[in-house]
Amino acid sequence: MADLKKLAEEIVGLTLLEAQELKTILKDEYGIEPASGGAVMMAGPADGGGAAAEEEQTEFDVILKAAGASKINVIKEVRAITGLGLKEAKDLVEAGGKAVKEQVSKDEADQIKGKLEAAGAEVELK
């Protein structure tokens, strides 16, 4: 019992980088993946239908790839969507390849993408 408590303390003490590495080792070497609730579950055998076995993506990141010709309009839209100040929104737009919104629903991601494209930006959903 003491060994289990020691193991639990070591796991809790991991840094984020170490926890990510542990996740990768468990997945690659043992076929164990964390479930969405945080519990650990065994990965099923590969059935050859890889695309069919994957879960449907429910959360998306809206990535601003390029501002386009009308950068001012894109900055205005980014400010309206994110609530950022003028300088922060300008920096985000000029940096390119940055996430405007992360982990949003498909509908919200499509709405944001439509607004930014209407303003002249090039947008990608991930």
Side-chain angles (χ1 to χ4, degrees):
M1 193 65 128
D3 291 336
L4 291 176
K5 184 168 178 130
K6 181 180 176 189
L7 177 62
E9 289 173 358
E10 288 177 10
I11 290 173
V12 169
L14 293 176
T15 65
L16 288 176
L17 189 57
E18 292 169 334
Q20 180 64 32
E21 187 175 327
L22 176 61
K23 176 187 157 209
T24 303
I25 292 169
L26 290 174
K27 180 180 178 188
D28 293 345
E29 294 183 20
Y30 301 100
I32 300 172
E33 291 188 52
S36 60
V40 176
M41 59 184 275
M42 294 295 293
D47 61 346
E54 291 184 24
E55 293 181 26
E56 184 178 336
Q57 185 176 355
T58 57
E59 292 184 339
F60 295 85
D61 295 343
V62 181
I63 310 295
L64 179 66
K65 294 190 72 142
S70 52
K71 186 168 41 172
I72 293 173
N73 291 335
V74 175
I75 292 171
K76 288 179 183 179
E77 280 301 324
V78 168
R79 287 189 69 204
I81 292 167
T82 62
L84 292 173
L86 180 60
K87 181 178 181 344
E88 292 83 5
K90 181 178 180 266
D91 291 344
L92 189 143
V93 169
E94 288 178 345
K98 298 279 184 166
V100 175
K101 279 277 201 171
E102 295 179 328
Q103 298 179 343
V104 295
S105 69
K106 174 76 170 153
D107 293 337
E108 186 177 354
D110 286 336
Q111 289 175 351
I112 294 170
K113 182 179 178 184
K115 288 178 182 178
L116 290 171
E117 286 178 342
E122 184 182 332
V123 181
E124 175 184 25
L125 297 181
K126 286 189 176 182

